[in-house]
Amino acid sequence: MNALVVAPLLIPLATLVATLFARPWPRAVAALSLAGALALAGVGLALVALAAQGGILASQAGGWVAPYGITLVIDRLSAAMVAITGIVGSATIVFALARDEDPARGRDFHVLVHGLLVGVCGAFITGDVFNLYVWFEVLLVGSFALLVLGGGKRRLAGTVVYVVLNLVATMMFLLAAGLLYGASGSLNMALLAQAFAAGEVPVTAHAAVVLMLTAFSIKAALFPVFGWLPASYHVAWTPVSALFAGLLTKVGVYALIRLVTLFWPEAGIAHEVLLWVACATMLIGVLGAAAQVEVRRILSFHIVSQVGYMILGLALATPLALAGAVFYLIHHIVVKANLFFIGGIAARLTGSERLAAMGGLYAHAPWLAVLFAIPALSLAGIPPLSGFWAKFVLVEASLDARAWVAAGVALLTGLFTLLSMSKIWNEAFLKPHPAGEGSGSAGGGSGGDGSGGGLRSADGLRPALWAVGALAAMTVAIGLAAGPVMDYAVAAAQQLAAPAAYIDAVVRAGGN
């Protein structure tokens, strides 16, 4: 069991080392990268199967009893997050196999992406606040390098914004961890939860947690500290921006869910604040999207608005609301990564990401129109796709909790999301292309950074279409099989709402 718990870290780390040594042989790098991502997805699914049996896996590095050593914990939520990380990571690597004008960029991408996956998986399975900080640092180093991959002034400017805001959040996190340790004498999440529940921590410990949650709010792009995300995600190479869109803000959301449910499981002032933050995040994000004129800028603002739904579930703090938040996490990672993939393909075919310079895709590439419609309608919450069930559960939980304003904002955000998706559909797919049909090659790479010219050939895009098709099929499958997925989410929410089993598993883990 200990080997299985640590596998989400060892697999991407081993893949990183293997791809680094294989850099002189690009095909070997790509093959090793894909094999590592698929292995991570396989381990994640195995962990989901084990977690579905109701148990919680916990391991202490070196057999040291908590709070000493490194604590790793797998419950239903962390298992699901590891599995979805492996799936989206695999799709991203397949997408990156599409023909690109810069082979070195793709080779470097495969090395860096597994460094990012190590950090993401570490953040999902750690049971210690300090090690959570360490894994955040690991994924941030990888994300900095990936964001600037390919060079250019536009990417550099976006990277500077990303780096500055995330470093501020990181410094806040480290300061909060130091304050929490000084006040409580421990950074083990389970032992801290025991101390908080027993009222054995001073006020400074609560203040440290507030500071820590503020740092996570920046990383999750919550209102009012979300501006870094739409200023940076849209400038990256398409596989990078899609991976970021799917995973990175969800690490911040996961950290918020984990710490709030462990330290403050009962509804209180923190939940009230989170409720209003969630409503503002939903509304401001979707209104910001309405003002944008580039596809990935629109989609970036929608990341902000959709994160608000997840925090709404946490703020309401009922088992149904937490189940909705878990379901929404799973749904949104798949859908948002896929929309960024499709946005990159559309930009490559039309020669621009600006809606005014796009058009004609419905006639030129009808298969892309279908593939766009699936995640776009799911994001807006149209039945029977996955987004409908996620929104339905959260709205129902809001009504049950008499949070009428939150329910209204959630419904209004869904309507505005549909209008944004309709704008992309009308501009990129239905209207004729301003420059007419067929003027160039498929140049510009799968990043879609080119501009001008008419509609281009889809030559070299087959791997990208495989990735998009697989994620679209997954979106449909989650919607059609919403019952089993929701059952899993409900059970995960029960573990979050009653953390005694999590705490007991960590306490008993030493020497296993």
Side-chain angles (χ1 to χ4, degrees), residues 133-219:
Y133 165 78
V134 171
W135 293 121
F136 264 110
E137 287 298 288
V138 171
L139 73 89
L140 283 175
V141 170
S143 65
F144 295 162
L146 284 167
L147 191 60
V148 79
L149 193 64
K153 292 182 179 180
R154 193 165 182 248
R155 285 199 177 108
L156 183 59
T159 302
V160 168
V161 175
Y162 179 89
V163 169
V164 169
L165 268 295
N166 276 278
L167 285 180
V168 169
T170 296
M171 292 175 64
M172 293 174 64
F173 185 5
L174 184 59
L175 176 61
L179 290 173
L180 185 59
Y181 183 77
S184 65
S186 175
L187 289 177
N188 184 279
M189 294 182 192
L191 298 186
L192 283 170
Q194 284 184 323
F196 271 77
E200 298 174 351
V201 294
V203 175
T204 51
H206 290 272
V209 173
V210 170
L211 182 61
M212 198 175 300
L213 296 181
T214 303
F216 295 151
S217 297
I218 296 174
K219 293 178 182 295

Side-chain angles (χ1 to χ4, degrees), residues 10 29 44 86 90 120 233 240 251 304 351 359 363 382 407 420 426 428 440 473 480:
L10 294 182
V29 169
S90 299
V120 171
Y233 276 22
V240 173
V251 180
V304 176
I382 302 300
S420 287
N426 291 333
L480 296 179

Side-chain angles (χ1 to χ4, degrees), residues 102-360:
D102 184 1
R105 175 167 65 176
R107 183 180 59 211
D108 294 338
F109 166 82
H110 289 293
V111 175
L112 294 170
V113 75
H114 288 281
L116 180 71
L117 294 178
V118 171
V120 171
C121 290
F124 287 150
I125 69 175
T126 187
D128 180 271
V129 170
F130 180 75
N131 286 292
L132 180 60
Y133 165 78
V134 171
W135 293 121
F136 264 110
E137 287 298 288
V138 171
L139 73 89
L140 283 175
V141 170
S143 65
F144 295 162
L146 284 167
L147 191 60
V148 79
L149 193 64
K153 292 182 179 180
R154 193 165 182 248
R155 285 199 177 108
L156 183 59
T159 302
V160 168
V161 175
Y162 179 89
V163 169
V164 169
L165 268 295
N166 276 278
L167 285 180
V168 169
T170 296
M171 292 175 64
M172 293 174 64
F173 185 5
L174 184 59
L175 176 61
L179 290 173
L180 185 59
Y181 183 77
S184 65
S186 175
L187 289 177
N188 184 279
M189 294 182 192
L191 298 186
L192 283 170
Q194 284 184 323
F196 271 77
E200 298 174 351
V201 294
V203 175
T204 51
H206 290 272
V209 173
V210 170
L211 182 61
M212 198 175 300
L213 296 181
T214 303
F216 295 151
S217 297
I218 296 174
K219 293 178 182 295
L222 293 180
F223 176 85
V225 285
F226 63 88
W228 61 269
L229 190 154
S232 58
Y233 276 22
H234 71 291
V235 303
W237 187 36
T238 295
V240 173
S241 64
L243 188 64
F244 283 18
L247 290 179
L248 289 198
T249 52
K250 312 315 178 301
V251 180
V253 172
Y254 173 88
L256 283 166
I257 292 174
R258 180 65 71 193
L259 266 63
V260 169
T261 55
L262 280 174
F263 300 161
W264 297 324
E266 301 295 329
I269 184 63
H271 296 82
E272 186 71 21
V273 172
L274 284 172
L275 182 64
W276 290 107
V277 168
C279 291
T281 302
M282 284 188 282
L283 201 55
I284 298 300
V286 79
L287 291 176
Q292 304 307 308
V293 296
E294 293 184 10
V295 171
R296 285 193 293 173
R297 285 273 289 181
I298 294 172
L299 297 176
S300 294
F301 273 96
H302 277 300
I303 296 174
V304 176
S305 70
Q306 303 298 305
V307 165
Y309 282 98
M310 303 167 207
I311 300 304
L312 172 61
L314 174 61
L316 294 172
T318 64
L320 182 62
L322 288 171
V326 173
F327 195 110
Y328 213 104
L329 270 168
I330 296 170
H331 138 79
H332 188 260
I333 290 172
V334 175
V335 165
K336 184 54 68 174
N338 209 16
L339 283 170
F340 269 75
F341 285 151
I342 295 167
I345 294 174
R348 177 167 174 170
L349 295 180
T350 60
S352 177
E353 291 197 62
R354 295 183 64 252
L355 292 176
M358 301 177 78

Side-chain angles (χ1 to χ4, degrees), residues 345-427:
I345 294 174
R348 177 167 174 170
L349 295 180
T350 60
S352 177
E353 291 197 62
R354 295 183 64 252
L355 292 176
M358 301 177 78
L361 285 175
Y362 184 82
H364 182 70
W367 39 268
L368 188 63
V370 174
L371 292 173
F372 170 77
I374 292 171
L377 294 176
S378 182
L379 190 73
I382 302 300
L385 299 170
S386 59
F388 168 76
W389 302 109
K391 286 183 170 65
F392 177 82
V393 170
L394 287 172
V395 171
E396 181 180 358
S398 300
L399 295 175
D400 289 347
R402 299 182 180 274
W404 314 116
V405 173
V409 169
L411 291 171
L412 186 62
T413 300
L415 176 61
F416 283 145
T417 302
L418 181 60
L419 293 175
S420 287
M421 295 301 105
S422 299
K423 180 169 74 171
I424 296 174
W425 175 263
N426 291 333
E427 293 293 314

Side-chain angles (χ1 to χ4, degrees), residues 424-501:
I424 296 174
W425 175 263
N426 291 333
E427 293 293 314
F429 289 89
L430 289 188
K431 85 172 189 337
H433 193 284
E437 182 77 28
S439 72
S441 67
S446 57
D449 295 329
S451 62
L455 288 165
R456 300 170 175 178
S457 167
D459 292 345
L461 285 178
R462 183 169 295 179
L465 297 177
W466 290 341
V468 169
L471 292 185
M474 189 173 176
T475 298
V476 174
I478 293 173
L480 296 179
V485 178
M486 184 54 68
D487 289 342
Y488 185 94
V490 168
Q494 290 170 347
Q495 287 183 335
L496 292 169

